[in-house]
Amino acid sequence: MLWLKSSLVAAAAWSMATAQQFDPEFTPTPIEYAVDTLARAPGCSLGDFWRLARTLSGQTEIYFPGETEFDEATTRWSNVGAPIANITVVPAVESDVMKVVRIANNCNIPFLAYNGRHGALTTLGQMEWGIAIDLRALSGVTISADGKTATVKGGTNSKVLIDALWAAGKQAVTGTCECVSYMGPALGGGHGWLQGHHGLIADQWVSAKIVTADGQQRTIDSSSDLWWAVKGAGHNFGIITSVTIKIFPIVETNWAITTLMYTGDKVQALYQAANNYLLKNGTQPVDLINWSYWMNIPPIDPTGPVIEFYIIQEGVTAVDTNYTAPFIALGPISVTNNTGSYRDVSAWVGISLDGPPCQKTGAANPRFPLYLEKYNPSAMGTLYQAFKEGTNSSSPFANSLFMFEGYSMQGVKAIDADSTAFAFREDNLLTAPLVQYTPGSAALDAQAKAFGNQLRDILHAGSGRSQKHTYVNYAYGDESKQEMYGHESWRASRLLTLKDKYDERRVFNFYAPAA
Ligand SMILES: Cc1cc2nc3c(=O)[nH]c(=O)nc-3n(C[C@H](O)[C@H](O)[C@H](O)COP(=O)(O)OP(=O)(O)OC[C@H]3O[C@@H](n4cnc5c(N)ncnc54)[C@H](O)[C@@H]3O)c2cc1C
Ligand SMILES: *[C@@H]1O[C@H](CO)[C@@H](O)[C@H](O)[C@H]1NC(C)=O
Ligand SMILES: *[C@@H]1O[C@H](CO)[C@@H](O)[C@H](O)[C@H]1NC(C)=O
Ligand SMILES: *[C@@H]1O[C@H](CO)[C@@H](O)[C@H](O)[C@H]1NC(C)=O
Ligand SMILES: *[C@@H]1O[C@H](CO)[C@@H](O)[C@H](O)[C@H]1NC(C)=O
Ligand SMILES: *[C@@H]1O[C@H](CO)[C@@H](O)[C@H](O)[C@H]1NC(C)=O
Ligand SMILES: *[C@@H]1O[C@H](CO)[C@@H](O)[C@H](O)[C@H]1NC(C)=O
């Protein structure tokens, strides 16, 4: 077992304080340092610790600061309010997740599941030390004999699942981005290309294996009171080591996209057209998806961000001209068409494995999400001006992106809104600025937060709503619990009751605490 390196066993009896007493020049090795860390954890009994550690499987790995593998396992996509770990454990089998949770509990050591490491909530920064439980080795997909379900291990990446199903002529609702885990988006509900047909990612679940705060591994399904909670507030209730999901035969192989690029003077007319011809109050055809991004591309327009508007259609080799004609009539700078299969769509919108958002570059990438029913064209005009000013060429935020995601909604709305912890099925659009910058000072972080909220507030004011609806998986970390989990009081009390029952000590509270 890699966990029990012989030097580590020897080090268990050793105390850094004692060593330093005899040799003030003494510098601990990373392993010595980590053991000392654990020994100083409040309430930790080293004897208990080692007894449990010895029961881990032979293939389970552990890494300490200073080791290349540790850095690789802890590098994150967004570097503001990031968690800090002192040890990375890579469980080789599902049952080891449970054992590591018991070890951590025994010693009162904070711990956090690490998966695709694209989680960017600043609440994660409340983890100031502890154990990273890296789920990367728990990767795999097994399709059932009847071809109606698949069991997906907790650390499986989205692209791995998409490809495994595709090879068998199957599809499932997954996130659109190839580099995030399957599980990360699902825990917050989860949006994907196929949600118009079947609902959110978590709506597809049939059963799950979850390690709860008491160190038990439970198998849960619709008969458990946890079932409602894991589908939308899942990060709060345990570590899911595998999940069985509904899968579907591939019906349409072809997909097509038309990408239109506009200058900022078209912003109001463009989003009026999106409301009229595409969104249509949540009745956007199920085979149609439209996204847009705002970003600075100085060679194309040095005077301000360009608008890249995507119209994506399933089951065709060219997007229906009925959909594109009103947008071509607005006079885009360019029109580009692409045709291919389902597996090409992520690359068309820049989020395939080699796309920029998949890279871990050291940047801070906070988002400030807001769900909306429809566009308010005049608010979009105001928003464009504010985004343009705040991302000018001398701003630290010049590389920021504004994302407008208009998925089809039929499958999502077909599911009873009260039946899951995901609270915002009535909304049709997911918007968020991604304020990208190179981390520097706390003052810069504060400036980014103020800018992101300024942008979000413009859209909120334009919505005419008093309350904000936000997507937990895009949240910045300053949203209220109601803004992430719903404003109905019964939701808050149900989450509180379940938290008290399953996670009384609030060990699963680093990612968007729900209660
Ligand atoms: C480029 C990009 C594209 C995205 N695309 C989509 C999309 O298409 N659809 C969508 O809905 N969202 C999308 N998101 C948002 C995404 O849902 C969140 O960023 C999500 O947290 C990423 O999961 P991760 O596994 O990569 O991140 P991590 O940081 O590894 O995980 C996030 C948190 O999830 C929890 N967690 C992870 N695995 C488990 C587990 N097995 N059991 C219990 N808890 C666990 C932990 O609390 C962890 O802190 C995208 C984000 C980015 C950056
Ligand atoms: C955990 O690691 C961090 C960062 O390396 C370090 O500052 C902190 O002292 C460590 N915590 C403990 C308890 O050793
Ligand atoms: C996408 O198209 C739908 C359906 O026409 C429309 O309702 C929605 O507003 C569009 N979304 C975006 C982001 O343009
Ligand atoms: C939009 O649809 C919702 C139901 O989903 C309905 O309550 C609302 O009145 C509609 N709005 C308009 C402007 O038609
Ligand atoms: C792109 O596709 C649209 C819709 O099918 C069509 O109207 C348009 O002429 C095409 N443009 C180019 C440049 O091929
Ligand atoms: C496109 O428009 C034509 C003419 O209005 C109509 O006959 C046709 O059904 C439309 N196609 C779609 C897919 O909406
Ligand atoms: C450029 O951006 C910076 C930082 O966001 C901002 O303070 C400044 O006012 C902007 N300048 C202009 C001319 O808009």
Side-chain angles (χ1 to χ4, degrees), residues 467-483:
Q467 296 164 330
K468 289 190 183 113
H469 299 183
T470 70
Y471 182 34
V472 59
N473 275 331
Y474 281 11
Y476 175 77
D478 63 349
E479 295 82 359
S480 70
K481 292 178 173 63
Q482 288 79 5
E483 286 167 351

Side-chain angles (χ1 to χ4, degrees), residues 75-77 115-118 179 356-363:
T75 305
R76 301 190 69 83
W77 174 71
N115 212 328
R117 287 169 286 130
H118 279 77
C179 50
C358 279
Q359 314 313 318
K360 297 188 171 95
T361 60

Side-chain angles (χ1 to χ4, degrees), residues 33-34 36-38 40-41 65 70 84-86 128-130:
Y33 177 76
D36 189 66
T37 300
L38 294 172
R40 281 188 285 130
F70 180 90
I84 295 173
N86 301 69
E128 293 174 330
W129 72 288

Side-chain angles (χ1 to χ4, degrees), residues 14-48:
W14 165 97
S15 144
M16 200 151 80
T18 319
Q20 269 159 345
Q21 210 179 323
F22 292 109
D23 178 6
E25 303 288 300
F26 173 80
T27 321
T29 66
I31 291 174
E32 289 163 343
Y33 177 76
V35 170
D36 189 66
T37 300
L38 294 172
R40 281 188 285 130
C44 180
S45 146
L46 263 191
D48 290 349

